[in-house]
Amino acid sequence: MSQKIIVTGGCGYIGSHTVVTLISNNYDVVIIDNLSNSNKKTLERITKITGTSPHFEHIDLKNPEQTKSVFKKHNDAVAVIHFAAYKAVAESVEKPLMYYRNNLLSLINTLEFQIEEGISNFIFSSSATVYGAPETLPITEENKVQRPFSPYGNTKKIAEEVLEDLVKTSSNLAAISLRYFNPIGAHKSGFLGELPNGIPNNLMPYITQTAAGIRKELQVFGNDYPTKDGTPVRDYIHVVDLAEAHLKALQRLLNKEQDKPLEVYNLGTGNGYSVLEIIKSFERTTNTTLNYKIVDRRPGDVETLYADTSLAEKKLNWKAKRDIDDMIASSWKWEENLKNEQ
Ligand code: NAD
Ligand code: UD1
């Protein structure tokens, strides 16, 4: 019989790709999502790709009664992958309480009720933002964790601290925190991808929406950084590679292979690309010309971030396989499909 996995935030960008990977690997998936930053259509998209419709529980994880009852109903699950959170950095600066409330209460309720029901494995969506402005590169898991610039980022740092404390007292709990670098790309079918609400904050959806004519012009935030061409460097990772890393982390937990109750892994490719390099690759890969202009720096941006991924390679037996052209081409295919759907 298939093992049951609860995926919170499974209708979102990274969650939905992970659900596809899990179903394709014969897991039985229950999605918990309140659709605050996604929609039900994602369930149809997942079904179209996999031929299986995941169970769906439309609840808000901030609500303890609803959360308790869903975990009771699915207490035969063997693990929880927790994606549910708000993620817009600028909005979190404007509305810190909204971010602390949603991201921390959802985490606390999930952990409390999964432990109550005896579900002992937990995977958490963390972020490279917990490294702040790194003192050394590439970033290993040993790099110093610093207070992130934004309340959003701080919810990730606090969440990891909650897990550190909890594994000390909950003898059954086994947790893995995955620190994502910059996820981009989409499923190769073009049926699943990132669907930001309103104006995108992140580079890739802004690029594809500009090329699709939804946005007039891309603003490049600063070209006076001490990098190869003056624009900031990031470690972009294909969302399907990321989904596959979750599968590996899950298998590590289920096989009881972890070295300690809470493990932390960087998920990136180890390669850094500047904003201008991404723009040039986009233009080359899609044979389009992008309308962009250089403007002032965005507050809080760090000049260079890229991962040392050797720990994930060694312990999770995982390495990102897809290159930047694949990330860009799949993002564009998704954007074009969306346009045709309208
Ligand atoms: P997303 O917004 O697409 O998905 C999050 C999902 O969680 C959404 O479907 C939303 O409706 C749901 N959700 C939010 N609050 C909820 C609540 N209280 N109850 C139930 N459902 C709730 O985001 P994503 O890009 O897929 O990110 C997934 C996770 O990865 C988040 O925790 C995010 O902070 C983290 N992360 C994302 C990135 C990135 O660049 N996308 C980078 C680092 C970390
Ligand atoms: C941002 C968040 C980070 C979060 C991550 C995933 C900030 C400071 N950091 O990372 O906490 O975990 O998203 O959600 O917001 N850029 C432009 N023009 C744009 C958009 C972006 O030039 O319109 C540049 C940025 O200056 C940056 C690069 O593109 O140099 C990547 O930006 P983005 O996609 O927002 O990711 P991060 O800033 O790395």
Side-chain angles (χ1 to χ4, degrees):
M1 228 184 71
S2 302
Q3 289 174 301
K4 187 186 270 190
I5 313 296
I6 294 175
V7 180
T8 77
C11 288
Y13 173 46
I14 306 169
S16 59
H17 287 85
T18 303
V19 168
V20 166
T21 299
L22 292 173
I23 294 175
S24 308
N25 282 274
N26 297 319
Y27 288 96
D28 182 11
V29 174
V30 177
I31 293 177
I32 299 179
D33 205 302
N34 66 353
L35 305 179
S36 56
N37 195 37
S38 52
N39 64 58
K40 249 188 145 167
K41 211 165 174 201
T42 306
L43 297 169
E44 290 164 30
R45 299 179 192 280
I46 291 170
T47 309
K48 194 165 167 179
I49 293 171
T50 63
T52 303
S53 34
H55 307 271
F56 178 53
E57 298 288 355
H58 187 181
I59 61 147
D60 188 335
L61 290 163
K62 289 197 293 298
N63 182 311
E65 288 81 26
Q66 289 179 354
T67 308
K68 186 181 170 80
S69 120
V70 165
F71 276 86
K72 204 175 179 54
K73 180 172 164 194
H74 297 288
N75 64 8
D76 52 339
V78 293
V80 176
I81 308 183
H82 184 59
F83 292 102
Y86 292 157
K87 62 164 183 178
V89 172
E91 186 182 50
S92 80
V93 174
E94 294 297 314
K95 299 174 183 167
L97 285 183
M98 183 174 135
Y99 273 68
Y100 286 116
R101 183 180 297 117
N102 191 57
N103 294 4
L104 297 177
L105 286 184
S106 297
L107 171 80
I108 290 165
N109 288 336
T110 298
L111 286 167
E112 172 153 17
F113 298 116
Q114 79 164 91
I115 290 171
E116 199 170 287
E117 296 301 336
I119 307 169
S120 56
N121 297 305
F122 181 79
I123 296 175
F124 179 65
S125 293
S126 188
S127 166
T129 193
V130 301
Y131 295 114
E135 284 161 13
T136 53
L137 289 163
I139 301 171
T140 75
E141 291 78 356
E142 299 301 313
N143 268 60
K144 199 165 78 197
V145 166
Q146 309 192 61
R147 192 203 187 285
F149 152 78
S150 69
Y152 159 73
N154 207 31
T155 67
K156 297 297 177 191
K157 177 171 178 285
I158 295 170
E160 288 196 352
E161 290 164 357
V162 168
L163 288 172
E164 273 168 33
D165 289 340
L166 192 61
V167 293
K168 287 182 198 149
T169 58
S170 298
S171 54
N172 289 336
L173 189 70
I176 292 183
S177 181
L178 299 174
R179 294 176 178 163
Y180 313 154
F181 278 67
N182 287 60
I184 61 171
H187 190 265
K188 61 176 189 293
S189 62
F191 298 146
L192 208 55
E194 187 170 12
L195 195 55
N197 265 344
I199 302 171
N201 298 296
N202 297 114
L203 181 63
M204 200 62 219
Y206 213 105
I207 288 180
T208 56
Q209 290 196 6
T210 305
I214 302 167
R215 313 278 155 214
K216 220 172 90 233
E217 161 185 84
L218 169 77
Q219 298 190 327
V220 173
F221 299 133
N223 66 348
D224 57 352
Y225 288 91
T227 58
K228 41 193 158 187
D229 57 24
T231 61
V233 169
R234 294 288 181 274
D235 186 339
Y236 296 92
I237 173 163
H238 198 299
V239 67
V240 177
D241 278 322
L242 210 57
E244 289 171 2
H246 288 76
L247 175 68
K248 295 288 191 172
L250 175 68
Q251 289 167 342
R252 184 169 171 83
L253 289 172
L254 296 179
N255 295 335
K256 301 201 177 310
E257 287 166 348
Q258 74 268 28
D259 299 325
K260 47 190 180 189
L262 171 62
E263 293 182 338
V264 173
Y265 294 101
N266 286 343
L267 297 182
T269 64
N271 303 313
Y273 288 92
S274 74
V275 175
L276 287 179
E277 282 176 329
I278 296 292
I279 293 173
K280 295 296 161 220
S281 304
F282 181 84
E283 292 184 325
R284 184 171 31 79
T285 312
T286 61
N287 208 12
T288 52
T289 306
L290 200 68
N291 188 23
Y292 71 90
K293 113 172 152 205
I294 311 285
V295 299
D296 286 347
R297 290 180 176 199
R298 180 171 70 176
D301 272 347
V302 172
E303 107 199 17
T304 302
L305 289 178
Y306 58 90
D308 179 320
T309 60
S310 48
L311 191 67
E313 228 171 286
K314 186 165 154 217
K315 299 283 184 180
L316 299 180
N317 189 24
W318 169 89
K319 192 173 166 40
K321 293 191 284 239
R322 295 160 181 87
D323 65 13
I324 198 72
D325 288 352
D326 191 345
M327 297 181 215
I328 289 171
S330 58
S331 297
W332 183 232
K333 185 172 181 186
W334 161 245
E335 187 71 58
E336 285 194 302
N337 270 5
L338 272 181
K339 206 164 128 187
N340 295 337
E341 270 183 18
Q342 250 109 84

